[in-house]
Amino acid sequence: VLTMEYPRPQLKRNSFFSLNGVWQLNDLSINIPYPPQAPLSNYHGIINDTLVYQKDFILPIDFYHANNQVLLHFGAVDQLTKVYVNNRYIGSHSGGYLPFYFDISSSLNDGVNKLVVKVTDSLSHDYPYGKQSRESHGMWYTQVSGIWQTVWVEAVSKNCIKDLLITPSLTGINLKVNTEASRYTVTIENNDFKKTYTAKDTDITIDNPHYWTPDDPYLYTFSITTDDDYIESYFALRTVEIKKHQILLNDTPIFLHGILDQGYYHDGLFLPEHPDFYKTEIMNIKKLGFNLIRKHIKIEPELFYYNCDKLGILVMQDMVNNGEYRFIHDTVLPTLGFINFKDTRYKNTLQQNIFKQHMIDTINHLYNHPSIISYTIFNEGWGQFNSDEMYQICKELDPTRFYDTTSGWFSQKNSDVVSRHIYFRNKILSTNLERPLLLSECGGYTRPINNHLNSNKKQYGYGKTNSEKELTDKIEKMYQEMVIPSINNGLCGCIYTQISDIENEINGLYTYDRKICKVNQQRMSELARKLYSYYEKKSGLS
């Protein structure tokens, strides 16, 4: 179970104490951190909109001293949360995808402590909800309620290191440390050197810099010491830039050969059985020849991004949509070619303010991960409003990544790429704009595998195949007829739908249980090699 893995590798302390394991939910047992809808939660009760969790815990004797603070962390709880410790109200949080914490020092007992977490999850569309649905069907999946990430506590000093901001270049980093400590020491110690710095906000130059790439994901480790705090962290040297029709990684043009990943698992829903599976999934994706994951309308636990950093896979991170999905407006009409609607008429101020704040919080939360090179702001018009303004906010907040403002259609003026979704046909793409062209969704061909289907309900996808050869043939044909020819017109990336089946949507390259790869791995790897080779030749790199 997800019990003892340290949940925050970029700000790691020794005082980690996990509260995962058996809790009570509405007076029945549940295995945290899995949501009650997931088989791995072992929850056998009725799941209502109101969820009341209880957990008794005793902190180790040497866990903290009188002058320490104890912080209670939640990786994610969906949607509205109120927290109580020993019958004292601690605080509240709204939204279901980002971490939060409270100082619970003044409410603790020396012995047993009672933690109560009251959650309301009505699947309100005011808040980010992604593809969650009351009933799974088609591209809509099982709702995930309540606690679905690690719950943990740590002891920190009053002047602890609260956060880091790491901005990389090709010669070093700019490091900002959020702390009230009067002084601290930064120590970077890798195989071939050791350096020490003492300034709060500092530019750190690295001798003989070793760049981070998917083929060579080199990470520098460092520690920060104050009078009463010590943390460990890491960074990488890499840059991302747009120049006319190309995306540059470390000043070198790169073709983004990506796979859509929605982060659903047959036994844990929003979580795999164990975080080690993140490593397995990322390596499976790399073995198929892909160099990028588009993390689709979901924010993962930090351990996922840490493994992307460590193992070398680029990430295009979607914002999580809220607001209403309108089938005719957002899918039918664009499919028929009506893709130029304005997005200034949508006027739900509450939903707009919630989306905007969640977007800002997402960027701040994920800022330090070198694997993340891009963000998608809106996808296929879902909840889309004032996208040009949202682009400006993101670009000012984090100019080190590029932004696909409107993935698929309904583009306005501001975006770093021209983004298209093409299903059901192969079409050579082009653009008149001085921007890279991104085929941000395509493919989606189905192949049902008996005894590995989620249910007997109607299956969903974008073109049926019946064998490994037939599916691999169809994918190869799509790349040969649409993707490779479009490189001549400025195509810089292609994202195939998708890495695995999800419930009744069976267009994955793997089955939902990840036990069977549905394509020929060797042929997929060779296809990727040809794709990269063609792009490098066109870009003058070979």
Side-chain angles (χ1 to χ4, degrees), residues 202-441:
T202 185
D203 288 311
I204 296 174
T205 301
I206 302 297
D207 298 330
N208 302 313
H210 192 151
Y211 300 162
W212 185 99
T213 69
D215 292 330
D216 183 16
Y218 189 83
L219 298 179
Y220 291 83
T221 58
F222 70 97
S223 62
I224 304 179
T225 305
T226 72
D227 290 338
D228 50 14
D229 198 8
Y230 174 84
I231 66 101
E232 295 174 350
S233 190
Y234 67 91
F235 66 86
L237 302 182
R238 72 103 185 90
T239 58
V240 183
E241 291 180 286
I242 298 279
K243 288 191 178 176
K244 293 188 176 181
H245 287 296
Q246 292 181 321
I247 292 169
L248 307 184
L249 181 71
N250 305 335
D251 286 339
T252 303
I254 185 171
F255 188 88
L256 304 180
H257 181 37
I259 189 83
L260 197 79
D261 176 8
Q262 307 198 61
Y264 268 82
Y265 305 91
H266 77 290
D267 47 6
L269 292 185
F270 267 13
L271 290 178
E273 182 177 9
H274 192 278
D276 279 350
F277 187 77
Y278 291 137
K279 302 174 191 175
T280 302
E281 185 107 300
I282 291 165
M283 293 312 296
N284 284 341
I285 288 170
K286 293 191 69 165
K287 286 174 186 174
L288 290 168
F290 296 102
N291 64 9
L292 177 138
I293 290 169
R294 179 180 172 192
K295 180 51 66 173
H296 194 42
I297 321 184
K298 183 197 174 196
I299 297 164
E300 294 287 359
E302 278 206 72
L303 284 169
F304 167 81
Y305 302 100
Y306 168 65
N307 280 293
C308 291
D309 297 340
K310 189 176 180 181
L311 298 174
I313 192 88
L314 302 168
V315 176
M316 185 175 195
Q317 174 65 52
D318 288 12
M319 299 300 170
V320 185
N321 58 277
N322 66 342
E324 298 306 318
Y325 166 73
R326 302 158 293 179
F327 176 65
I328 299 297
H329 183 277
D330 294 339
T331 296
V332 175
L333 292 177
T335 302
L336 295 174
F338 298 94
I339 61 173
N340 295 317
F341 294 133
K342 297 295 182 184
D343 64 6
T344 55
R345 290 177 288 180
Y346 181 62
K347 298 295 184 185
N348 189 317
T349 304
L350 173 64
Q351 290 181 355
Q352 290 180 2
N353 289 338
I354 290 173
F355 177 88
K356 179 179 173 182
Q357 189 60 54
H358 194 268
M359 176 184 75
I360 291 169
D361 292 344
T362 298
I363 289 175
N364 288 333
H365 171 51
L366 298 176
Y367 185 89
N368 293 337
H369 288 284
S371 57
I372 299 175
I373 62 165
S374 174
Y375 287 97
T376 301
I377 302 176
F378 294 106
N379 181 73
E380 294 185 347
W382 298 5
Q384 183 178 327
F385 69 95
N386 301 343
S387 61
D388 286 345
E389 179 189 342
M390 296 305 108
Y391 169 88
Q392 292 288 2
I393 292 169
C394 290
K395 205 68 176 176
E396 289 174 16
L397 189 62
D398 181 4
T400 70
R401 273 98 178 180
F402 74 86
Y403 294 86
D404 181 358
T405 308
T406 53
S407 186
W409 38 78
F410 304 154
S411 61
Q412 308 299 305
K413 292 180 180 178
N414 294 339
S415 183
D416 291 324
V417 295
V418 177
S419 181
R420 306 272 176 80
H421 293 182
I422 304 292
Y423 291 109
F424 304 112
R425 69 191 193 279
N426 295 335
K427 173 185 176 183
I428 297 177
L429 305 175
S430 63
T431 177
N432 295 322
L433 298 174
E434 280 287 303
R435 298 174 190 166
L437 180 59
L438 181 65
L439 181 53
S440 44
E441 286 186 33

